Amino acid sequence: MPLTLFQKEVAHVLAANRNPESYLAGGAVLNRADTSLRYSHDFDIFHDAAESVALCAETDERVLKASGYSVVWSLRQPGFYRAEVKRGDDQLGLDWTNDTAFRFFRS
């Protein structure tokens, strides 16, 4: 799924908060080639520990707001947060969740 200019801008803002325990995954990452046939409507941000989800989501919210985006929460529960990031007519869904720290295939 190719990224729109807006998605690239949001990804750039969020990049500073990513690390091996907090990473982008899902369709937007797996099929990010410009020749892909469809666009993703959200970013999936995974964490190794459920305790990290809320802290990371709230940190990302502060960074996004400081960069001129609005953040509208639709769900906040232990281990899973969901929000819409908006600026002008552009919007992008963000999901923060946890995944196991155990990996069968390390990169």
Side-chain angles (χ1 to χ4, degrees):
M1 293 163 220
L3 299 180
T4 66
L5 179 59
F6 179 72
Q7 291 172 332
K8 288 177 185 179
E9 292 169 357
V10 171
H12 181 75
V13 170
L14 295 176
N17 296 339
R18 304 291 64 85
N19 60 61
E21 288 81 35
S22 174
Y23 50 91
L24 225 57
V29 175
L30 293 173
N31 299 303
R32 66 186 180 275
D34 289 336
T35 57
S36 291
L37 299 177
R38 71 179 188 97
Y39 288 86
S40 178
H41 297 290
D42 70 348
F43 285 168
D44 302 310
I45 304 169
F46 288 91
H47 303 83
D48 287 345
E51 300 80 25
S52 301
V53 173
L55 176 64
C56 184
E58 291 163 2
T59 300
D60 286 343
E61 176 189 27
R62 284 191 300 277
V63 171
L64 287 162
K65 285 183 173 182
S67 298
Y69 299 90
S70 67
V71 178
V72 179
W73 294 104
S74 59
L75 183 64
R76 293 186 206 190
Q77 64 184 34
F80 188 82
Y81 277 47
R82 173 173 283 157
E84 289 287 325
V85 176
K86 300 178 181 183
R87 189 176 64 199
D89 292 332
D90 294 312
Q91 67 181 24
L92 173 66
L94 293 179
D95 293 334
W96 294 262
T97 191
N98 70 294
D99 186 20
T100 178
F102 179 79
R103 304 281 185 267
F104 285 103
F105 305 104
R106 291 205 171 257
S107 52

